Amino acid sequence: MIVEVKTPNKNYEILIDELPEIRLDTKVAIITNPKVSGLHINKLTSKLKAKEVYIVTLPDGEEYKNFESINFGLERLFDAKFDRNSALIAFGGGVIGDMTGFMASIFLRGIKFIQIPTTLLSMVDSSVGGKTGINNKYGKNLIGAFYQPEAVYIDPSFLETLDKREFAAGMAEVIKMAVMFDAVFFENIKDNKLTIPQIIRNSVELKADVVNQDEKEKGIRSVLNYGHTFGHVIENMTNYKTYLHGEAVAIGMVMANRLAVKLGTLTETEEKEIRDVLKENNLPTTFKIKDEEEFYEHFFADKKTLNNSIKFIIPNGIGNYKIVQDVDKEILLEVLREFKD
């Protein structure tokens, strides 16, 4: 199956199928991590036809999504005398995809790259739409660029080696999109009616439709940040070592839902229904906040904060959304106190 992404900067295709033969008449660097390389590098190299192929292995995990890793990767490209006709292939999960895209965007002011995601999260979300970036001590993905790939190849067979925790983390992003945009999709997830390829296809179609409307996140694309405003604080406060991204997003969705209940856009029944689906998909739904004021202050480091005004994406029922700003601080503190130690 092919899904098309059409942005003002670039049109490209997302192929959901067995990995095809990839022909590139140039030098290519596969950017990957030790785990993915150990499991799948032979499959990729057997399909890849290029003038020269290099493998650059970066450490895995959000805590390594930083300038040090980027610089290591860039130096390998300079060592191999890559030029503006060369290309990169992101071969891994969301961390590898984000770093590879960022490297591609800044190496010699921009070279081509391809996304080959190997985790559910990266297949349904982070490989689609051209968001690239790294973390720093102030927060997640605060440094980066919108930079679209040449193509995305999604081969569901890579998921056969994915552990249960990583798979669950991907389901958080699937549930996020269903709650925001598609009540029928949410019901089908709840009732276990979909195969994994169907889940991937539905999610990619939703994500691509949003990106086609709003590449640079000026409007509807910000809705994809449901759960992320709270979730990014959780990741930052735990130094990116306690939770996978999707796990933090799941907790963030629960917090956003509690805010939605207080603001009257979600019923208690709907809130419980979403929480139950998250639990059924082996995702965490609780987090112990030690100091709600400290948690609140972390909101202001988020890249979505403008003029000291925090933007929250909340459900407006299941299958629809509402963007709210200037939420009263006391209401937010009430939500955070529900998660206190």
Side-chain angles (χ1 to χ4, degrees):
M1 178 187 171
I2 292 174
V3 178
E4 292 187 348
V5 177
K6 297 179 179 180
T7 74
N9 291 307
K10 183 176 289 183
N11 297 344
Y12 58 94
E13 293 182 341
I14 302 165
L15 175 68
I16 306 171
D17 204 342
E18 170 69 26
L19 188 67
E21 186 173 277
I22 302 167
R23 291 186 173 273
L24 297 169
D25 187 26
T26 186
K27 286 183 180 180
V28 177
I30 300 168
I31 313 297
T32 188
N33 64 44
K35 186 172 184 179
V36 172
S37 180
L39 290 168
H40 301 299
I41 199 70
N42 290 340
K43 178 172 181 174
L44 176 53
T45 54
S46 71
K47 300 276 190 174
L48 179 60
K49 311 301 178 188
K51 281 187 176 178
E52 296 177 42
V53 177
Y54 297 82
I55 299 170
V56 178
T57 305
L58 302 179
D60 190 28
E62 285 285 344
E63 66 266 37
Y64 299 109
K65 194 172 150 186
N66 53 34
F67 268 124
E68 187 177 356
S69 296
I70 294 294
N71 193 51
F72 175 85
L74 292 174
E75 287 185 351
R76 301 294 75 74
L77 302 184
F78 286 117
D79 288 342
K81 296 181 171 56
F82 272 51
D83 59 32
R84 285 181 170 169
N85 292 321
S86 303
L88 306 183
I89 293 178
F91 190 46
V95 171
I96 288 294
D98 283 2
M99 288 199 290
T100 304
F102 186 45
M103 269 193 279
S105 76
I106 61 175
F107 182 77
L108 301 179
R109 296 198 175 97
I111 62 173
K112 294 178 179 179
F113 86 108
I114 291 170
Q115 287 270 18
I116 304 180
T118 60
T119 66
L120 182 62
L121 188 148
S122 57
M123 289 179 184
V124 300
D125 188 52
S126 62
S127 69
V128 180
K131 273 189 179 181
T132 77
I134 56 173
N135 309 329
N136 66 6
K137 69 178 182 180
Y138 298 100
K140 186 178 171 68
N141 295 330
L142 296 180
I143 301 161
F146 288 97
Y147 195 71
Q148 301 294 342
E150 298 300 303
V152 182
Y153 299 116
I154 297 175
D155 184 341
S157 71
F158 287 127
L159 299 178
E160 292 169 9
T161 57
L162 195 67
D163 67 48
K164 290 181 179 179
R165 190 179 170 200
E166 286 278 4
F167 186 87
M171 283 303 300
E173 297 285 2
V174 171
I175 295 163
K176 171 198 79 175
M177 283 186 272
V179 173
M180 290 289 96
F181 299 114
D182 193 334
V184 174
F185 187 22
F186 179 83
E187 286 298 315
N188 286 336
I189 294 167
K190 185 178 77 171
D191 296 336
N192 293 312
K193 288 184 176 179
L194 301 174
T195 65
I196 292 171
Q198 287 173 328
I199 286 170
I200 294 170
R201 183 195 68 208
N202 286 8
S203 301
V204 168
E205 285 179 334
L206 286 172
K207 178 75 181 279
D209 183 54
V210 169
V211 172
N212 291 345
Q213 295 178 62
D214 178 25
E215 179 188 10
K216 297 290 181 71
E217 203 174 295
K218 302 295 185 185
I220 191 174
R221 188 168 181 177
S222 67
V223 174
L224 295 170
N225 292 314
Y226 166 50
H228 287 60
T229 302
F230 290 95
H232 284 174
V233 174
I234 291 168
E235 286 182 287
N236 185 251
M237 293 184 77
T238 55
N239 296 312
Y240 306 101
K241 293 179 180 178
T242 305
Y243 298 100
L244 297 174
H245 174 63
E247 293 172 333
V249 167
I251 301 168
M253 288 164 62
V254 173
M255 291 180 170
N257 292 349
R258 293 307 304 160
L259 176 60
V261 170
K262 289 185 182 297
L263 296 178
T265 66
L266 195 69
T267 66
E268 293 277 2
T269 301
E270 290 168 326
E271 189 272 337
K272 183 180 184 300
E273 193 175 359
I274 298 168
R275 191 190 298 239
D276 287 346
V277 170
L278 291 169
K279 286 180 179 177
E280 286 164 15
N281 282 275
N282 303 308
L283 286 158
T285 57
T286 60
F287 179 75
K288 294 189 182 300
I289 295 174
K290 292 183 171 60
D291 184 337
E292 68 269 29
E293 286 281 355
E294 180 189 12
F295 195 104
Y296 176 82
E297 287 302 319
H298 270 72
F299 285 139
F300 294 97
D302 194 286
K303 61 186 177 297
K304 297 176 288 297
T305 297
L306 294 173
N307 300 319
N308 275 342
S309 177
I310 314 163
K311 180 191 293 184
F312 291 96
I313 312 300
I314 58 175
N316 190 13
I318 293 174
N320 210 338
Y321 61 86
K322 187 170 184 179
I323 302 171
V324 294
Q325 283 184 285
D326 300 315
V327 177
D328 185 83
K329 178 181 177 180
E330 190 51 42
I331 292 175
L332 285 169
L333 291 178
E334 282 179 20
V335 171
L336 297 178
R337 287 185 194 113
E338 292 184 14
F339 296 85
K340 278 211 75 169
D341 236 339

